[in-house]
Amino acid sequence: MDDKRQKTQVELASAMESKGEARKLSGGGTEASTAEGETESLAEGQLMEQVCERENLQRALARVKRNKGSAGVDGMSVAELSGYLKVHWPAIRERLLAGQYQPLPVRRVEIDKPGGKDKRKLGIPCVLDRFIQQALLQVLEPIFEPTFSEFSYGFRPWRSAHQAVALAQTYIAEGRLWVVDLDLEKFFDRVNHDILMSRLANKVSDRRVLGLIRRYLQAGVLEGGLVTATEEGTPQGGPLSPILSNILLTDLDRELERRGHRFVRYADDCNIYVKSEHAGQRVKVNITRFLESRLKLKVNEAKSAVAQPWQRKFLGFSFTRGPRLRRRIASQVLTRFKQRVRELTDRNQGRALGEVIDRLALYLRGWRGYFGFCETPSVLRDLDSWIHHRLRSLVWKQWKRGRRRFAQLVRRGVNRDLAAQTAGSAHGPWRLAESKALHLALPNAYFASLGLPRLHVSPTT
């Protein structure tokens, strides 16, 4: 495995040197010259030693193990990392301190974006590089976190998507009934490396750290058996990507603050709240121009809009229209939720009810943990009823024949006449899931006893 890593490093280092990267770093390029001229630099030359401190590395290793994740291009699993470090860490540390460590390319994977039409490209670094990136993150975070905007909520300590949605709700309650919803087109794929590195160099003067981060940005992508160099972008999937995106987009935050706008940003998802459609159109034009000229980012016009908040979604939520402003789950989210539940409760999969509920419960708990933040409990109650309906339909299908259906109904307390009438019905499973007999035989408490959680939990329970 180590031979494969070293071979890949040599090949990639040669490719980068052919592009002039090695000369740029050794000859005092953008990162170094900017940092040397920055009198307020917060990290004076010894940052890599902090990265390599034992306590910092132990924290990084624990985090990588906790996050788990799949192997990168070298095939090393998280479980193998500790053993690998025991043997190879002294040499790796020496290369890091000398500014000579070369990351491996990331492994490209694609996942469906919400809605299922587009694909999100993820870059999975190898486990060792995830470990080093995590160690870097833990040193960089205290330096940059105080410089971030109070209106930025994505991937920051003690901040959450729920807080961002609540702030948006506050703006609307103040009478800002129009939102400029900006969508940055393929943001993580289009981050300009030079602009990002110049922002890093404003606070970091350790050339080794700056050089390592640039090498991570340009490590390349393995896709279809070929390694492609990355001239722009910061691949999603590694520990460094979120903080790098926040460092770059702080320019946007400061520009919005300078103009006195009410806004909230979560990673590359930014909403600006204004009092009129005309103001919104003006803001959209001006901020689009700023993003494209200053940060070299492109706004996706097809997905961006000036609209009223209840016509848009933000982090999976929208808002009700009327005198009482409430958070609600966006319609697109509800559609995806029902599609996923249909897949998990498909009557043709042949799974036992207990197995179906175990899988369903895992999904429901995670979904409720996030979307339970809504203020429309009736929607959650309706979803609970719909799920119970699907499960009754599933059980009825599994009972298959009239004789077994009759026996099961009677065994579960349904009187024989009603059981016979239901078992002999020509209606299908979905229709009969509404019947009195199935509600008696399969009450909500029965599914709860098998571990099915409810989406709506009454405050009194």
Side-chain angles (χ1 to χ4, degrees):
M1 185 178 294
D2 193 41
D3 291 341
K4 181 179 179 180
R5 163 176 285 277
Q6 290 176 353
K7 180 180 178 182
T8 308
Q9 287 175 340
V10 169
E11 291 173 350
L12 194 59
S14 298
M16 292 305 175
E17 188 166 359
S18 69
K19 295 176 180 292
E21 181 62 19
R23 292 189 295 275
K24 184 174 182 179
L25 289 175
S26 62
T30 304
E31 296 89 333
S33 62
T34 305
E36 288 169 355
E38 176 57 62
T39 58
E40 296 181 8
S41 175
L42 300 181
E44 295 296 335
Q46 298 299 311
L47 207 60
M48 189 61 82
E49 281 72 15
Q50 296 179 40
V51 172
C52 294
E53 283 182 356
R54 183 178 181 84
E55 182 181 351
N56 186 55
L57 296 173
Q58 288 175 335
R59 289 170 50 215
L61 181 59
R63 174 58 67 89
V64 170
K65 287 182 175 180
R66 188 161 61 248
N67 290 345
K68 300 180 181 178
S70 58
V73 297
D74 60 356
M76 186 193 301
S77 68
V78 173
E80 296 173 292
L81 179 59
S82 294
Y84 183 87
L85 291 174
K86 287 179 182 178
V87 177
H88 299 284
W89 177 248
I92 296 169
R93 182 179 185 275
E94 184 178 339
R95 293 202 297 273
L96 286 169
L97 293 176
Q100 297 173 348
Y101 178 81
Q102 179 63 58
L104 289 183
V106 299
R107 180 170 63 87
R108 172 75 79 208
V109 297
E110 293 186 347
I111 61 173
D112 290 331
K113 283 188 175 182
K117 295 181 179 179
D118 299 320
K119 297 285 186 180
R120 175 175 284 118
K121 293 183 177 181
L122 299 183
I124 307 300
C126 66
V127 176
L128 175 60
D129 284 327
R130 294 210 294 271
F131 166 67
I132 296 172
Q133 284 192 33
Q134 181 63 38
L136 272 170
L137 171 64
Q138 291 166 182
V139 172
L140 292 174
E141 196 169 68
I143 296 172
F144 285 96
E145 179 62 27
T147 71
F148 292 153
S149 169
E150 64 178 298
F151 307 109
S152 163
Y153 287 87
F155 310 113
R156 296 181 60 189
W158 313 113
R159 287 176 169 249
S160 69
H162 287 172
Q163 292 172 334
V165 173
L167 179 59
Q169 187 174 7
T170 299
Y171 292 147
I172 300 167
E174 292 173 351
R176 300 177 186 277
L177 303 182
W178 290 87
V179 59
V180 182
D181 186 356
L182 293 175
D183 183 273
L184 296 179
E185 186 173 296
K186 298 181 179 178
F187 168 72
F188 287 94
D189 295 331
R190 292 189 171 174
V191 169
N192 183 284
H193 290 172
D194 290 335
I195 295 175
L196 174 58
M197 293 306 303
S198 72
R199 301 306 184 266
L200 279 161
N202 286 337
K203 297 296 181 185
V204 174
S205 62
D206 192 321
R207 297 184 184 185
R208 298 165 299 176
V209 170
L210 293 171
L212 179 59
I213 292 174
R214 186 179 274 276
R215 289 195 294 276
Y216 270 122
L217 292 173
Q218 297 185 334
V221 174
L222 178 65
E223 189 172 17
L226 298 175
V227 175
T228 304
T230 44
E231 302 293 340
E232 62 180 4
T234 168
Q236 296 183 76
L240 274 180
S241 183
I243 193 171
L244 295 181
S245 68
N246 276 332
I247 289 170
L248 182 66
L249 289 176
T250 293
D251 279 21
L252 170 62
D253 298 338
R254 297 308 178 204
E255 180 66 13
L256 292 171
E257 290 171 357
R258 187 185 69 79
R259 297 180 184 219
H261 291 310
R262 301 291 189 270
F263 73 97
V264 56
R265 183 177 65 79
Y266 192 95
D268 59 331
D269 201 343
C270 183
N271 278 6
I272 308 163
Y273 293 84
V274 296
K275 292 188 175 181
S276 70
E277 183 178 12
H278 178 72
Q281 295 292 353
R282 184 179 67 250
V283 169
K284 181 174 179 290
V285 169
N286 291 336
I287 298 304
T288 296
R289 185 183 301 121
F290 171 85
L291 286 166
E292 295 182 349
S293 62
R294 184 76 63 87
L295 298 181
K296 309 303 180 186
L297 297 172
K298 183 173 178 59
V299 172
N300 187 328
E301 292 292 341
K303 294 184 178 180
S304 300
V306 176
Q308 296 193 287
W310 40 87
Q311 297 172 325
R312 305 293 291 178
K313 66 180 177 69
F314 180 55
L315 302 178
F317 292 91
S318 188
F319 302 93
T320 59
R321 184 177 186 176
R324 185 185 172 194
L325 179 67
R326 294 180 297 170
R327 295 183 297 273
R328 65 178 178 85
I329 303 169
S331 59
Q332 302 95 316
V333 171
L334 293 175
T335 298
R336 292 196 299 272
F337 172 83
K338 287 193 169 186
Q339 179 58 36
R340 182 57 180 150
V341 171
R342 287 188 184 99
E343 293 169 0
L344 292 169
T345 59
D346 187 345
R347 298 195 296 266
N348 297 316
Q349 289 182 352
R351 292 194 180 100
L353 180 62
E355 183 182 354
V356 170
I357 287 182
D358 286 345
R359 292 170 178 247
L360 184 59
L362 186 64
Y363 175 67
L364 294 181
R365 289 191 190 99
W367 194 89
R368 182 183 66 188
Y370 184 77
F371 290 105
F373 187 59
C374 73
E375 296 175 314
T376 51
S378 62
V379 173
L380 299 180
R381 286 194 294 268
D382 289 345
L383 289 175
D384 277 329
S385 296
W386 178 75
I387 292 168
H388 290 138
H389 192 104
R390 284 200 63 84
L391 290 174
R392 290 188 183 99
S393 176
L394 170 66
V395 173
W396 189 249
K397 178 76 178 293
Q398 290 179 341
W399 286 346
K400 294 184 178 179
R401 301 183 183 279
R403 185 171 297 177
R404 184 184 179 193
R405 289 169 172 173
F406 173 78
Q408 287 285 355
L409 291 174
V410 171
R411 186 168 69 85
R412 295 166 184 270
V414 179
N415 71 66
R416 297 179 69 85
D417 288 342
L418 180 58
Q421 179 184 351
T422 306
S425 173
H427 293 305
W430 185 253
R431 174 76 174 271
L432 287 173
E434 300 176 344
S435 68
K436 180 180 179 181
L438 278 176
H439 275 265
L440 289 171
L442 301 169
N444 294 346
Y446 171 69
F447 297 119
S449 71
L450 295 178
L452 181 72
R454 299 192 65 130
L455 297 177
H456 176 254
V457 180
S458 172
T460 61
T461 60

